[in-house]
Amino acid sequence: MKQNPTDPTNFPAGDRRPALVTLATPRPTTLAGTFRAAARVLAANGLYQGDYVPDARDKEMCIPHFLRPMSIVAALKTAVTGDPHGTSRLADEAISTLALRLDGGPRWGDIFSLEAHVDDWGDGEGRTTESAVAVLYAAADASEQVAA
């Protein structure tokens, strides 16, 4: 009986032993799913008021970036790419949709202005993780109504 070479417990030496197989976390594919995933990321890690994540250059912390408190923009990027600094078309669409919903929208329409507008809203005095999560869930519900 021939063994499958792609079986995770087959090793080149011919022995069989348990092997750790990591499965990728499913990423959202819709705008509403992105908002909900980002809300879960913020609820788990907390809202950070400032840059994307605290100690972005890793001078003081050894905790991975995706486990640190993060801004709303970083949470949206993490929900889609797994990295608070990663970019994708779906994350950019979520950022632009959210930016246009917050306080009348930004002055300019480029992605950097949209990110800055969402970050400025998240950095507002007295802004809490719960209020950011509520806004993300409301944006998810609104995007589902538009899609329907």
Side-chain angles (χ1 to χ4, degrees), residues 11-102:
F11 289 88
D15 57 338
R16 292 179 60 87
R17 60 180 179 230
L20 176 64
V21 177
T22 57
L23 301 174
T25 306
R27 301 280 179 220
T29 57
T30 63
L31 199 55
T34 301
F35 287 130
R36 287 193 176 92
R40 288 190 298 271
V41 168
L42 278 183
N45 296 354
L47 177 67
Y48 177 68
Q49 294 181 321
D51 198 7
Y52 288 163
V53 292
D55 189 29
R57 298 192 188 272
D58 299 325
K59 292 184 178 181
E60 299 172 9
M61 301 173 83
C62 62
I63 300 169
H65 288 206
F66 65 89
L67 293 176
R68 298 178 189 178
M70 57 185 69
S71 70
I72 297 170
V73 171
L76 288 166
K77 290 182 176 192
T78 300
V80 176
T81 66
D83 179 16
H85 302 289
T87 59
S88 76
R89 184 173 285 173
L90 183 57
D92 289 348
E93 183 183 354
I95 291 167
S96 64
T97 301
L98 186 60
L100 295 174
R101 290 178 51 89
L102 297 174

Side-chain angles (χ1 to χ4, degrees), residues 85-130:
H85 302 289
T87 59
S88 76
R89 184 173 285 173
L90 183 57
D92 289 348
E93 183 183 354
I95 291 167
S96 64
T97 301
L98 186 60
L100 295 174
R101 290 178 51 89
L102 297 174
D103 297 334
R107 295 185 74 175
W108 307 104
D110 63 300
I111 190 62
F112 300 112
S113 297
L114 296 168
E115 285 182 6
H117 183 71
V118 173
D119 269 340
D120 289 344
W121 183 87
D123 290 343
E125 189 175 329
R127 190 78 58 214
T128 64
T129 301
E130 291 79 17

